[in-house]
Amino acid sequence: CLSERRRGQLAALSIAAVVIIVGVPLWWRTTETYRAWLPVNQINELANLQLQLSADVEVVFARGTVTPEQQKKVPTQVVISLCLFCSSPLEADLSLHTLSESPCGSLVVYVIPESSTLLPEDVDVYIGQRRTALLRIGAQMRVGRTLEQLLAHLEPRIKQVLQVMSFSHTDITAALSDRVRLSPGNKESIADSMRAFKSSPGYEITFSLLNPDPKSHRVHWDIEGAVQTYIQPLLTKLAPLANFSIDSQTLYYAMLGVNPRYDSSRSAYTLNSDSLAHVINPVEARLGSNAASSNPVLNFLLYVPDAHHSPLHIHDHKKQEVLSNAFHSPRWGGIMVYNVNGFYGPEAVFPVDININMAKVMGVFLAQLRLLLGVQSSAPPPGFLVAPCSSTGLADWELDRLMWSRTVENVATATTTITSLAQLLDQIGNIVINDNIAQQVSSAVTSLQLAVAELEAGNLGFALQYSKEAILASERAFFDPSLLHLLYFPDDQKFAIYIPLFLPMCVPILLSLLKIVSEARQKRRERQAKKD
């Protein structure tokens, strides 16, 4: 009987030992939430990130702009002499670009003498279509001055050139407008940035022809040819920033949703600026959307008024007629009204065949597209002359200016996304962190560090590429569906599941252990009594 009791005690102790040594660790290991390692220290450093932007500016002096003493300290370029014999600054800009092409994000300022006839008399600085600028220097600037004094005297003008052609404090503040508290003065200065779309890996551009009265006119538009001629060159130049896809459609019996007012003094119908905000919603319901893509959509609508409301003119807030007869909505698109009442003759046979003047239409849409993509056309400082846009619709320095803003915006967005994800994962311990998420987070942090380093070095092209990689990796990590697997599985549900499973097994073991402990105490008391 004693041996059987002893055997039972050993069996209970063995089972308890197996449960505690093997069972509990095994259960803990197989039921714990897997959380891969994240670079938390590097992410915390990103929260206090301070950007430092630098751009390479090369100043080239032409013959006659420096004294012989000054010339000994700086090598005067010979190529600048070629542009002095050009008949116009536009021709000089092309000649200088052909001889030496500046890399992305850099500027070259050519200092020309006061006697040069390249620039008009009231112009001191000419900004070309490339990454070059012509700066006229006065004769009094160089007489009796050392080279250091001459450069110090030119520094304010060169800073103005840099702010126009590269980036300024306003541009960087506008790029960070969603993350920086703005003063009342800055809110007006970044009004242009508020209408532009946020940075995105891709954009969808939709051109729509709205014909509300197909019984009166049959409208024809060569949208494919117009896009290839006017829009595609701009999008090709913007390829480093994002991918673009274009589609078009024709909508019949599509009304604006706002009844225009008839102005008897002009014998025309008018749309006031107050009613323009009510035009978009009714029209947008007919446009449809690309559900297969998450990219922003830029809508460009050409509206041909029906015969009963023609001609139709848009008026601004000053009750003045808008010359382009078009308007745009921030971060949505633009609408142009195209009147065709001139095609209605006394002997017209309905429906009248009408061919749209696509050059006129695309000129308006191209200007609206520039605004919506963030290409700001601010007024230059006094004494500046800016060359008109080329056939691509975008100057090289305008592309650089947009790339600076987009790079800073991408860095700020990716930093906010990564830090928010790290805080979320730290606060909620039930979220699974797979190796894929950890890899995306590490990739985003590495790309952010490289983007910041390239910005400080002035390598704009590499900085933009790294910033795009950072924002893509951070968004993939933040929106990974595996993060939600155990998000709604709290600890009380775990106890509700595991208690019915382990309680029936643990109660006999605990009772056996308590009985063994009780018998051991009883034997100890009996031995103590015998000794006494």
Side-chain angles (χ1 to χ4, degrees), residues 76-151:
T76 304
Q77 297 286 345
V78 181
V79 293
I80 191 65
S81 62
L82 296 177
C83 78
L84 299 178
F85 298 98
C86 297
S87 59
S88 65
L90 185 62
E91 183 180 350
D93 181 39
L94 179 60
S95 300
L96 294 173
H97 173 73
T98 305
L99 291 174
S100 61
E101 183 176 358
S102 303
C104 177
S106 64
L107 301 176
V108 180
V109 179
Y110 293 95
V111 182
I112 60 177
E114 186 182 18
S115 58
S116 175
T117 58
L118 272 177
L119 304 181
E121 294 182 359
D122 57 341
V123 175
D124 295 330
V125 179
Y126 174 80
I127 297 178
Q129 298 176 356
R130 281 81 184 177
R131 300 179 177 93
T132 58
L134 300 178
L135 172 60
R136 190 205 304 270
I137 184 174
Q140 68 279 5
M141 292 184 184
R142 62 188 184 91
V143 176
R145 294 177 181 268
T146 64
L147 181 62
E148 291 76 12
Q149 292 176 339
L150 178 62
L151 293 176

Side-chain angles (χ1 to χ4, degrees), residues 39-214:
V40 179
N41 293 333
Q42 298 178 8
I43 294 175
N44 293 334
E45 293 176 358
L46 293 176
N48 301 321
L49 181 64
Q50 293 184 353
L51 290 178
Q52 180 179 353
L53 279 65
S54 62
D56 294 333
V57 180
E58 181 182 359
V59 180
V60 181
F61 291 91
R63 290 191 177 94
T65 57
V66 292
T67 61
E69 292 76 12
Q70 296 169 346
Q71 187 175 351
K72 294 178 181 178
K73 298 182 179 180
V74 57
T76 304
Q77 297 286 345
V78 181
V79 293
I80 191 65
S81 62
L82 296 177
C83 78
L84 299 178
F85 298 98
C86 297
S87 59
S88 65
L90 185 62
E91 183 180 350
D93 181 39
L94 179 60
S95 300
L96 294 173
H97 173 73
T98 305
L99 291 174
S100 61
E101 183 176 358
S102 303
C104 177
S106 64
L107 301 176
V108 180
V109 179
Y110 293 95
V111 182
I112 60 177
E114 186 182 18
S115 58
S116 175
T117 58
L118 272 177
L119 304 181
E121 294 182 359
D122 57 341
V123 175
D124 295 330
V125 179
Y126 174 80
I127 297 178
Q129 298 176 356
R130 281 81 184 177
R131 300 179 177 93
T132 58
L134 300 178
L135 172 60
R136 190 205 304 270
I137 184 174
Q140 68 279 5
M141 292 184 184
R142 62 188 184 91
V143 176
R145 294 177 181 268
T146 64
L147 181 62
E148 291 76 12
Q149 292 176 339
L150 178 62
L151 293 176
H153 191 84
L154 291 176
E155 184 177 355
R157 220 41 167 162
I158 294 176
K159 284 185 177 180
Q160 286 184 320
V161 174
L162 181 64
Q163 292 175 356
V164 172
M165 301 182 65
S166 188
F167 59 85
S168 63
H169 178 73
T170 302
D171 297 333
I172 304 305
T173 304
L176 303 174
S177 58
D178 291 343
R179 298 164 183 85
V180 177
R181 180 175 297 180
L182 304 174
S183 61
N186 286 335
K187 289 182 180 180
E188 297 180 0
S189 63
I190 66 164
D192 291 341
S193 67
M194 298 302 294
R195 73 165 59 95
F197 278 85
K198 287 297 180 182
S199 179
S200 174
Y203 297 93
E204 310 287 337
I205 301 178
T206 301
F207 294 95
S208 302
L209 173 63
L210 276 60
N211 186 359
D213 190 11

Side-chain angles (χ1 to χ4, degrees), residues 406-432:
R406 292 304 194 203
T407 303
V408 173
E409 183 181 349
N410 290 343
V411 169
T413 302
T415 301
T416 303
T417 303
I418 288 297
T419 53
S420 300
L421 178 60
Q423 293 175 2
L424 177 67
L425 297 177
D426 181 62
Q427 294 174 0
I428 304 178
N430 289 328
I431 299 181
V432 177

Side-chain angles (χ1 to χ4, degrees), residues 300-504:
F300 294 97
L301 279 61
L302 180 63
Y303 180 75
V304 181
D306 57 279
H308 301 290
H309 296 91
S310 294
L312 177 62
H313 298 289
I314 298 176
H315 287 184
D316 57 16
H317 62 282
K318 296 181 180 180
K319 308 299 181 182
Q320 298 295 325
E321 185 175 321
V322 178
L323 296 180
S324 63
N325 211 24
F327 70 97
H328 68 275
S329 178
R331 300 182 183 179
W332 185 83
I335 298 178
M336 179 181 180
V337 178
Y338 192 91
N339 292 307
V340 294
N341 56 294
F343 293 89
Y344 301 148
E347 299 179 356
V349 178
F350 295 96
V352 179
D353 288 321
I354 298 173
N355 293 317
I356 299 295
N357 184 359
M358 298 307 297
K360 176 182 178 182
V361 173
M362 284 300 166
V364 175
F365 285 164
L366 184 62
Q368 293 178 344
L369 179 60
R370 282 169 51 92
L371 292 175
L372 293 171
L373 291 178
V375 182
Q376 302 180 14
S377 299
S378 56
F384 276 62
L385 177 62
V386 180
C389 293
S390 61
S391 58
T392 60
L394 190 70
D396 291 349
W397 60 268
E398 286 182 315
L399 176 62
D400 292 351
R401 189 185 180 100
L402 185 59
M403 289 173 65
W404 284 111
S405 299
R406 292 304 194 203
T407 303
V408 173
E409 183 181 349
N410 290 343
V411 169
T413 302
T415 301
T416 303
T417 303
I418 288 297
T419 53
S420 300
L421 178 60
Q423 293 175 2
L424 177 67
L425 297 177
D426 181 62
Q427 294 174 0
I428 304 178
N430 289 328
I431 299 181
V432 177
I433 306 178
N434 293 329
D435 293 335
N436 180 40
I437 298 176
Q439 181 181 1
Q440 296 295 341
V441 171
S442 299
S443 175
V445 171
T446 303
S447 298
L448 279 173
Q449 294 173 343
L450 292 174
V452 172
E454 295 296 344
L455 280 176
E456 294 179 355
N459 299 325
L460 180 57
F462 291 108
L464 176 63
Q465 183 61 34
Y466 287 132
S467 69
K468 291 169 60 177
E469 295 176 0
I471 197 171
L472 289 174
S474 62
E475 290 185 351
R476 280 197 296 263
F478 192 87
F479 295 105
D480 195 292
S482 64
L483 293 175
L484 300 177
H485 285 177
L486 294 181
L487 183 59
Y488 302 103
F489 192 47
D491 292 335
D492 54 353
Q493 294 187 11
K494 294 181 181 179
F495 289 117
I497 293 174
Y498 291 121
I499 286 178
L501 178 64
F502 290 106
L503 189 60

Side-chain angles (χ1 to χ4, degrees), residues 192-337:
D192 291 341
S193 67
M194 298 302 294
R195 73 165 59 95
F197 278 85
K198 287 297 180 182
S199 179
S200 174
Y203 297 93
E204 310 287 337
I205 301 178
T206 301
F207 294 95
S208 302
L209 173 63
L210 276 60
N211 186 359
D213 190 11
K215 295 182 181 179
S216 300
H217 41 246
R218 189 184 296 114
V219 183
H220 308 278
W221 68 334
D222 183 16
I223 185 61
E224 183 176 357
V227 166
Q228 292 296 326
T229 303
Y230 301 100
I231 304 297
Q232 193 58 48
L234 173 63
L235 300 184
T236 301
K237 201 162 188 176
L238 291 172
L241 289 169
N243 298 321
F244 295 90
S245 63
I246 304 176
D247 54 14
S248 62
Q249 60 182 345
T250 301
L251 302 178
Y252 297 99
Y253 301 102
M255 307 296 294
L256 288 181
V258 176
N259 293 324
R261 297 181 180 181
Y262 183 74
D263 188 352
S264 57
S265 61
R266 295 183 172 88
S267 299
Y269 290 87
T270 62
L271 280 176
N272 296 325
S273 59
D274 297 335
S275 61
L276 296 180
H278 306 285
V279 171
I280 295 177
N281 287 342
V283 173
E284 192 173 19
R286 294 287 308 274
L287 294 180
S289 61
N290 191 353
S293 175
S294 59
N295 295 328
V297 180
L298 287 75
N299 298 283
F300 294 97
L301 279 61
L302 180 63
Y303 180 75
V304 181
D306 57 279
H308 301 290
H309 296 91
S310 294
L312 177 62
H313 298 289
I314 298 176
H315 287 184
D316 57 16
H317 62 282
K318 296 181 180 180
K319 308 299 181 182
Q320 298 295 325
E321 185 175 321
V322 178
L323 296 180
S324 63
N325 211 24
F327 70 97
H328 68 275
S329 178
R331 300 182 183 179
W332 185 83
I335 298 178
M336 179 181 180
V337 178

